[in-house]
C-alpha cells in the first residue's frame, strides 16, 4: 500500500513516515501544499495524510483542488486546530477522517488502515489463490496450512499479485504501488523482491511455483498450476 504524507514539520513528517514504513507502507513525502498537490494528482495512492497548515498552499486548498479533479483517494487530515467548526469544514471539503495533533502514532496507523479497508470496500479480508491464504486484517499468510514468515515488502507484493490474479502486473505498476521515492527505478529492487517472495512462499521444494515471469511484460500469479 502506498501513502502520501504532506506535512511541513520535519520531525513529525519523519517520525510518521518511519512508522508507516515499519508497518509495511510505501511512503512518499511532501513538505508543502504545492508539492503535495503535485504528488496527489500525478501518482496513485491508497491514502493521503494531509496537514492543514502548510506553506505555499494550505491543506484545505489542496483537498479542494483534489476533489475538483474527481480524485477520491481517502484523505486523513492532520491539524493543531481542535474546534468543531474546523473538523466540520474539513469533512465538508471531502476529508475522510480527522486527527488532532499531538496524536499517538498507533492511532494514526489504525486510522490509515481503516481508510484503506474502506477504500477497497473490504467485507472479507481473506484472499485465497490456490493453496495460499492471505489475511489483510491480521497480516498473516498460510500456504497449504503452513504459516509463512514474510517481510512487510513481500507481504505487500504478494497482496498486489493476489488481488490481480491471472493478470500481468508490470514492473512499473509494482514500483508505483509497492515502493516509495527512496527506491531508484533503475535499480533491481523488483527482481530482488520477486526472488525473495518466490522463496518465501515455497516452504517445501516440491511445491509448484505460482508466480510466473512474462518476459518484457511483468509478472503474473496463476490461479491454476496445471
Amino acid at each position: 500500500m502506498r501513502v502520501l504524507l504532506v506535512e511541513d514539520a520535519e520531525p513529525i513528517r519523519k517520525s510518521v513516515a518511519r512508522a508507516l514504513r515499519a508497518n509495511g507502507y510505501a511512503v512518499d513525502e511532501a513538505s508543502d501544499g504545492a508539492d503535495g498537490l503535485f504528488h496527489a494528482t500525478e501518482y496513485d495512492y491508497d491514502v493521503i495524510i494531509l496537514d492543514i497548515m502548510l506553506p505555499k498552499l494550505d491543506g484545505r486548498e489542496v483537498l479542494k483542488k483534489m476533489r475538483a479533479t474527481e480524485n477520491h483517494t481517502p484523505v486523513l487530515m492532520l491539524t493543531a486546530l481542535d474546534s468543531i467548526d474546523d473538523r466540520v469544514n474539513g469533512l465538508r471539503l471531502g476529508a475522510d477522517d480527522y486527527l488532532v495533533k499531538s496524536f499517538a502514532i498507533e492511532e494514526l496507523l489504525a486510522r490509515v488502515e481503516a481508510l484503506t479497508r474502506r477504500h477497497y470496500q473490504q467485507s472479507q479480508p481473506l484472499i485465497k489463490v490456490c493453496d495460499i491464504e492471505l489475511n489483510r486484517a491480521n497480516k498473516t499468510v498460510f500456504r497449504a496450512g503452513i504459516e509463512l514468515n514474510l517481510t512487510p515488502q513481500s507481504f505487500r507484493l504478494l497482496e498486489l499479485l493476489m488481488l490481480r490474479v491471472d493478470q500481468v502486473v508490470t514492473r512499473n505498476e509494482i514500483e508505483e504501488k509497492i515502493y516509495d521515492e527512496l527506491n531508484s527505478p533503475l535499480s533491481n529492487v523488483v527482481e530482488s523482491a520477486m526472488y525473495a517472495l518466490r522463496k518465501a512462499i515455497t516452504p517445501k521444494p516440491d511445491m509448484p511455483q505460482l508466480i510466473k515471469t512474462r518476459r518484457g511484460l511483468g509478472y503474473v500469479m496463476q490461479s491454476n498450476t496445471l
Side-chain angles (χ1 to χ4, degrees):
M1 297 296 169
R2 193 174 185 183
V3 175
L4 172 62
L5 173 59
V6 190
E7 167 63 64
D8 63 319
E10 185 173 0
I12 295 175
R13 189 177 69 251
K14 294 302 181 184
S15 175
V16 171
R18 186 166 53 249
L20 288 165
R21 291 186 178 112
N23 281 270
Y25 295 94
V27 184
D28 291 346
E29 301 176 42
S31 59
D32 62 67
D35 192 29
L37 180 61
F38 170 79
H39 277 77
T41 53
E42 290 294 320
Y43 303 103
D44 181 32
Y45 295 99
D46 297 286
V47 174
I48 295 174
I49 303 172
L50 179 64
D51 188 26
I52 287 184
M53 304 300 290
L54 292 167
K56 297 186 180 181
L57 197 65
D58 72 41
R60 295 186 188 91
E61 284 300 310
V62 173
L63 180 59
K64 186 185 298 185
K65 291 177 183 294
M66 280 177 52
R67 296 308 189 221
T69 63
E70 300 299 316
N71 185 327
H72 299 296
T73 304
V75 171
L76 170 62
M77 298 203 79
L78 304 180
T79 182
L81 306 174
D82 193 18
S83 75
I84 295 298
D85 287 344
D86 288 313
R87 299 187 202 185
V88 169
N89 289 337
L91 294 170
R92 283 177 173 167
L93 284 174
D96 297 271
D97 201 357
Y98 219 89
L99 191 57
V100 177
K101 300 176 181 178
S102 59
F103 50 81
I105 288 293
E106 292 80 7
E107 181 178 5
L108 181 140
L109 292 171
R111 288 174 183 258
V112 169
E113 186 174 340
L115 287 176
T116 302
R117 286 198 305 268
R118 195 183 311 164
H119 182 46
Y120 288 102
Q121 298 180 331
Q122 287 179 239
S123 58
Q124 174 53 258
L126 194 65
I127 310 171
K128 296 182 181 180
V129 174
C130 293
D131 57 351
I132 294 185
E133 296 184 0
L134 181 147
N135 192 311
R136 303 170 78 181
N138 60 23
K139 308 297 184 186
T140 58
V141 180
F142 288 83
R143 181 166 190 187
I146 302 171
E147 185 169 8
L148 307 180
N149 183 24
L150 269 60
T151 64
Q153 181 191 73
S154 291
F155 185 93
R156 294 198 307 270
L157 183 52
L158 179 62
E159 179 183 34
L160 175 61
L161 292 168
M162 292 179 74
L163 287 171
R164 298 275 300 278
V165 63
D166 291 326
Q167 300 176 35
V168 173
V169 181
T170 68
R171 178 194 171 95
N172 286 342
E173 287 179 280
I174 292 171
E175 287 177 346
E176 290 180 3
K177 201 69 173 176
I178 302 299
Y179 300 100
D180 56 36
E181 294 175 324
L182 296 180
N183 292 110
S184 167
L186 299 179
S187 69
N188 66 342
V189 290
V190 173
E191 289 79 4
S192 298
M194 198 63 67
Y195 173 82
L197 176 61
R198 283 172 165 150
K199 184 176 180 180
I201 66 171
T202 313
K204 294 183 178 180
D206 58 339
M207 287 180 166
Q209 284 289 342
L210 301 179
I211 302 171
K212 303 296 182 182
T213 301
R214 296 287 183 260
R215 295 197 179 278
L217 297 175
Y219 302 91
V220 59
M221 187 163 194
Q222 298 178 321
S223 61
N224 193 326
T225 59
L226 298 178

